[in-house]
Amino acid sequence: MSEQLLMATSLAPNGRTELQRTSLQSWACAGTKIVSLNSPQEIDLLRQEYQDFEFVSVPDEASAFSGRPLVYIANILEYLKSSNAEFVGITNADIYI
């Protein structure tokens, strides 16, 4: 088990790359490991802007209900549980610390 804080987020391919990158760097500077959970289609788009970032593909998403490929909180919680990290959290990708 790692004592490093593992934070899960879901980056958005919405043109707010600089804001999201600055926010994520603030978490990384605090010693936090960050992963983004997204649909495979979003990951393909996001990898163009975030080549050095860790992505996790989710098995399903909420586009049938929301019109956007939003990640279910259950998928995030399952990922965090399976990570065996001692300390975990969830944040929006535009939250700066």
Side-chain angles (χ1 to χ4, degrees), residues 52-69:
D52 57 342
F53 203 75
E54 182 177 346
F55 291 97
V56 174
S57 181
V58 294
D60 54 358
E61 37 80 6
S63 60
F65 302 105
S66 67
R68 298 183 299 152

Side-chain angles (χ1 to χ4, degrees), residues 11-26 42 45-53 55 93-96:
L11 289 167
N14 60 6
R16 298 177 68 193
T17 303
E18 198 57 40
L19 172 62
Q20 292 180 133
R21 184 173 294 284
T22 300
S23 298
L24 297 173
Q25 286 173 343
S26 75
E42 280 191 319
L45 294 171
L46 290 163
R47 281 205 195 279
Q48 298 170 27
E49 298 292 330
Y50 302 92
Q51 298 90 359
D52 57 342
F53 203 75
F55 291 97
D94 59 358
I95 302 295
Y96 182 87

Side-chain angles (χ1 to χ4, degrees), residues 7-10 37-38 58-63 65-66 69-82 88-92:
M7 292 295 283
T9 192
S10 186
L37 285 79
N38 294 86
V58 294
D60 54 358
E61 37 80 6
S63 60
F65 302 105
S66 67
L70 301 174
V71 175
Y72 289 114
I73 190 73
N75 289 333
I76 296 172
L77 293 173
E78 184 60 37
Y79 170 79
L80 292 172
K81 181 180 174 184
S82 70
V88 299
I90 302 170
T91 186
N92 281 355

